[in-house]
Amino acid sequence: MPAWEPGVTASCGWRAPPCSPPRLCIAPHPCTPPSSHGNLTCRLPPRSFGFCRCVWVRTRGPSLPGEQVSLAVHESEGAAAQLGNSPEIDPRRPRCLLPESAQIPQISYASTAPDLSDNSRYDFFSRVVPSDTYQAQAMVDIVRALKWNYVSTVASEGSYGESGVEAFIQKSREDGGVCIAQSVKIPREPKAGEFDKIIRRLLETSNARAVIIFANEDDIRRVLEAARRANQTGHFFWMGSDSWGSKIAPVLHLEEVAEGAVTILPKRMSVRDRERIGQDSAYEQEGKVQFVIDAVYAMGHALHAMHRDLCPGRVGLCPRMDPVDGTQLLKYIRNVNFSGIAGNPVTFNENGDAPGRYDIYQYQLRNDSAEYKVIGSWTDHLHLRIERMHWPGSGQQLPRSICSLPCQPGERKKTVKGMPCCWHCEPCTGYQYQVDRYTCKTCPYDMRPTENRTGCRPIPIIKLEWDSPWAVLPLFLAVVGIAATLFVVITFVRYNDTPIVKASGRELSYVLLAGIFLCYATTFLMIAEPDLGTCSLRRIFLGLGMSISYAALLTKTNRIYRIFEQGKRSVSAPRFISPASQLAITFSLISLQLLGICVWFVVDPSHSVVDFQDQRTLDPRFARGVLKCDISDLSLICLLGYSMLLMVTCTVYAIKTRGVPETFNEAKPIGFTMYTTCIVWLAFIPIFFGTSQSADKLYIQTTTLTVSVSLSASVSLGMLYMPKVYIILFHPEQNVPKRKRSLKAVVTAATMSNKFTQKGNFRPNGEAKSELCENLEAPALATKQTYVTYTNHAI
């Protein structure tokens, strides 16, 4: 209480005696003999209010600031205002709320229930202590500052506990980021084992280690005892409201269980040297004395301001304040603004609430001693010194009270329905990357996710390199083949006028050798880096080399076939068997290939592409983009299809001319060449198209294609030209002009050889010389071996 100056003795009762000068009179109520309280006098406060009204004080026990204090300012027949609280019924609600119709302002020094801020129900109610709504906000701020998002609540049944928890839950929803795991209520009359049951229920959500408690001292203590019985010391982190505050009673002999508890308490200070109770009194000041004094002063300031405005220059009441208008007085109460006994400003908002100001404590054990240590404060916003906090078992490291652990990079949150603080972490799979905490998105087609899947990066682009193992064999065959082809060409040019070169058909031989050379050269185009020029040359020469080769061979086999078919019917020579005609036919067949290529260039111009689908593996780490020419498998079939047609047709003619005597022509070597070539390409088809889904498709298909083309060229080169080169270089004695025979003689001999029965053993190629052939050849064989040379119309 303020330091009152000595004054006149006050009388008991509702009506105060005249005071001169005006005094604020204080007397015990109900009246007791003066001897029971000593000589209680009416004292003049440091600030005179200019009039006298009795303020009665009801106390229980020998001290003025006891557990139950109720003050009211009265005028002649009725109360003008009331100050008070009654902890016996509810520590957060006034003992008697006057009805709204009474229009009597009330100021409370301890009522903190949130519903008292409702102006529609308690419009004449004010308080100098903060509402529990501020306390709930402060506790939410603390929870968020400690990075807890999953907490449980425990409340004593009643207005204080239930409304406090309700305010906490509401604030946590408004601010977001905090979820309630369990909300437990302690009954007014708990049964045996009730608190053990509460601990078991809290353990159902064991991740919610933080427990918010709005409960009375006795309930707090029994909760801590139950936690100790359940062997959960150090598991829970308690956060107590102002009913716990910095009290020793709830934690006495339970220090280890309560260690680390964070509590909150309205800012207050002890009022020293201001009260006069008695010389020998064992009185220990209660914490609410500060608010009692502030409440009295608030009423006094409001009455003083009202008297100054309504009764200027008057001592005592004037007609305008007799009786006091409660509505007017309420306005003056709400407008007071002065420095309270603790030095804090005393004000009221539009709901009659005082500002929220709290001290934050943590119960700490240090060196076997326990104490409540101030770790921060809250005044509209939180000031928390986390470095001053100490936690059981982890020191200064913040403990966790979260529903779900944070997701790792590359994982998205899948929130549990109705519980935004709980989620499942789902990894982004395949080619997905993490866009935000809740979304995975597929990377663009030319990109793949990074290692931690937080973004995308370009897919590496590959091509068949010159030093790749897949290129070694094709390049080797191509180099050897080109060298062999050039060797044959040089040999043929060097011995261009020799009988063997002439007998092989020089014109078509050079065309065929050009086609073989292009087949080998195609390998270099297939391995070179794809670009516009390379892709254009691939289109042209991949099928052209084969078309030239097979067109020349087809023309040869067709010429032989027509000669012997014509001989069966007539002795006249067939048409178009001259070298010029043969070249014309060959180039006509080749021109069809060139025409198709030109049409292809017009319809679809050549260009290189990066194919990201060929090697788009399930695991994006192995995904590759393939740099290649825009030649699809279907286009490749069409490109080689014409060459295949020429090859098959040539094979058919080779089969038809298989009966021609081997001493007369090249039909047999051409036949073997075509049979072998067909086998090579029959093996090519399943290998090439069977690997279309392989991760090494680029390498396998390119190698298979180039090797097949080179082998086809090698078969033609080896079977048709190497024997001739061998004779030219190593047996020049056999490269001499032979006896010429007329076309009629040759055809007749060939025809007759097929009419006579076979004599002797069959030859390896299925032919047997006829009797006629033997007779014809006998004289020649007696002297020397006979070679047949046919030029123009002579064979």
Side-chain angles (χ1 to χ4, degrees), residues 7-260:
V8 298
T9 301
S11 62
C12 298
W14 293 99
R15 189 183 302 273
C19 295
S20 181
R23 302 284 198 277
L24 178 65
C25 304
I26 301 178
H29 180 78
C31 292
T32 55
S35 59
S36 63
H37 287 283
N39 186 20
L40 188 62
T41 60
C42 181
R43 299 178 174 90
L44 181 67
R47 309 168 214 183
S48 175
F49 299 113
F51 62 94
C52 181
R53 279 293 182 266
C54 178
V55 178
W56 55 265
V57 180
R58 179 188 178 194
T59 68
R60 184 175 63 185
S63 60
L64 176 63
E67 289 182 338
Q68 181 175 347
V69 182
S70 183
L71 294 86
V73 178
H74 291 268
E75 54 181 348
S76 53
E77 296 296 335
Q82 176 177 313
L83 298 89
N85 194 71
S86 177
E88 285 183 347
I89 298 177
D90 193 319
R92 305 302 167 199
R93 299 181 64 86
R95 180 183 183 187
C96 179
L97 279 172
L98 299 177
E100 184 181 347
S101 58
Q103 295 188 348
I104 298 176
Q106 299 170 273
I107 299 180
S108 172
Y109 54 82
S111 300
T112 60
D115 54 349
L116 295 175
S117 299
D118 186 359
N119 260 341
S120 63
R121 299 169 58 193
Y122 310 112
D123 53 343
F124 282 85
F125 181 82
S126 303
R127 49 187 164 186
V128 293
V129 289
S131 166
D132 283 342
T133 303
Y134 294 116
Q135 180 175 213
Q137 181 65 65
M139 297 176 81
V140 170
D141 291 347
I142 296 171
V143 167
R144 298 184 64 182
L146 296 176
K147 299 180 180 180
W148 295 343
N149 67 3
Y150 198 49
V151 300
S152 297
T153 63
V154 176
S156 294
E157 185 177 1
S159 175
Y160 169 65
E162 294 180 42
S163 62
V165 165
E166 183 181 350
F168 178 85
I169 295 174
Q170 181 179 352
K171 288 296 181 181
S172 65
R173 289 174 179 171
E174 291 175 357
D175 294 354
V178 179
C179 297
I180 308 303
Q182 300 278 357
S183 190
V184 184
K185 183 165 62 175
I186 303 173
R188 290 184 187 273
E189 298 179 359
K191 300 177 182 178
E194 186 71 34
F195 290 91
D196 296 327
K197 181 180 178 182
I198 289 173
I199 295 299
R200 287 195 298 270
R201 183 173 173 184
L202 293 177
L203 288 173
E204 291 176 2
T205 51
S206 57
N207 286 346
R209 300 178 66 187
V211 180
I212 312 301
I213 297 184
F214 279 83
N216 57 54
E217 296 179 28
D218 189 45
D219 286 345
I220 293 171
R221 182 172 183 82
R222 287 189 281 183
V223 167
L224 296 178
E225 290 173 344
R228 184 173 62 181
R229 287 195 299 271
N231 197 26
Q232 296 301 319
T233 300
H235 176 77
F236 294 110
F237 302 105
W238 314 99
M239 181 174 293
S241 62
D242 58 348
S243 62
W244 184 336
S246 57
K247 297 175 183 176
I248 300 300
V251 298
L252 187 62
H253 305 307
L254 296 169
E255 290 81 2
E256 292 183 355
V257 184
E259 182 184 4

Side-chain angles (χ1 to χ4, degrees), residues 664 741 745-757 759 768-779:
F664 294 149
R741 298 158 64 183
V746 173
V747 173
T748 300
T751 305
M752 292 296 294
S753 67
N754 292 329
K755 290 182 179 180
F756 286 90
T757 58
K759 183 179 182 180
K769 281 196 173 183
S770 63
E771 228 174 277
L772 176 60
C773 293
E774 289 177 356
N775 294 333
L776 289 172
E777 295 179 0

Side-chain angles (χ1 to χ4, degrees), residues 726-740:
Y726 176 77
I727 292 175
I728 291 173
L729 296 179
F730 299 105
H731 295 282
E733 72 279 3
Q734 296 182 9
N735 189 13
V736 294
K738 307 302 177 185
R739 175 175 55 89
K740 293 185 179 181

